[in-house]
Structure formats: C-alpha cells, structure tokens
Amino acid sequence: MKNYLDNEYHPVIEDYITDYVDDNLESVERSTFEEVLVHDDDLRELALSAKEGKKLLNQFREVKAMDGFLERLLKSIPQ
C-alpha cells in the first residue's frame, strides 16, 4: 500500500512545503500552494504532517530535564 511517504517530490515542491510550514510564503504564493494542496491528497498529507511535526518539535524544546538528570543517566550506562 502506497502512501504520501512513498512519493518523491521535486526539490522545488519540497522547498514550498518547507516555506509553507515555516510561514515564509507571500500571500499569493501561499494561496496558490494551498490550492494545489486541495487537489493533491498525498502532498496535502505530507505538508500537514510536516506542519504537525514542526509543532511537536517546538514543544520538545520546552521540555527540561530535572537537575542531576545527566549525572544519573551517565551512572546508569555501563562502562
């Protein structure tokens, strides 16, 4: 079964996805790209997945380990 991850896209399309996720498209480009997404299910899923992935990665930046975590971790690793 194929899904959107099995597809290969031209680097220009990949750049558009990156710019779309990063909100780096001008309004006309954004509208045009969103129109393309309406008609291409696989590309839309890829773009929305990338957007969700970026959001999740940003949430991990806010996670902080408790004091002493690194020391405890290093002690638990066999030499």
Side-chain angles (χ1 to χ4, degrees), residues 11-29:
V12 171
I13 296 296
E14 293 174 356
D15 289 343
Y16 269 103
I17 291 172
T18 302
D19 289 339
Y20 177 74
V21 169
D22 291 339
D23 291 323
N24 289 335
L25 295 176
E26 299 292 327
S27 63
V28 172
E29 281 184 310

Side-chain angles (χ1 to χ4, degrees), residues 4 12 14-15 21-23 25-26 40 42 45 51-52 60 65 68 72 76 78:
Y4 69 92
V12 171
E14 293 174 356
D15 289 343
V21 169
D22 291 339
D23 291 323
L25 295 176
E26 299 292 327
D40 188 326
D42 289 341
E45 282 194 48
K51 201 170 204 174
E52 184 64 24
F60 282 126
R72 290 190 309 275
S76 71

Side-chain angles (χ1 to χ4, degrees), residues 2-51:
K2 286 190 65 137
N3 65 34
Y4 69 92
L5 295 175
D6 295 331
N7 294 339
E8 290 187 33
Y9 292 100
H10 191 279
V12 171
I13 296 296
E14 293 174 356
D15 289 343
Y16 269 103
I17 291 172
T18 302
D19 289 339
Y20 177 74
V21 169
D22 291 339
D23 291 323
N24 289 335
L25 295 176
E26 299 292 327
S27 63
V28 172
E29 281 184 310
R30 183 174 194 77
S31 296
T32 303
F33 187 65
E34 287 174 342
E35 184 67 25
V36 170
L37 295 179
V38 166
H39 298 286
D40 188 326
D41 295 340
D42 289 341
L43 187 59
R44 181 178 58 250
E45 282 194 48
L46 180 59
L48 295 178
S49 177
K51 201 170 204 174

Side-chain angles (χ1 to χ4, degrees), residues 50-69:
K51 201 170 204 174
E52 184 64 24
K54 182 179 179 184
K55 186 175 23 171
L56 291 172
L57 287 173
N58 285 334
Q59 289 175 355
F60 282 126
R61 284 189 188 147
E62 298 172 10
V63 175
K64 302 289 182 202
M66 293 174 41
D67 289 337
F69 170 76

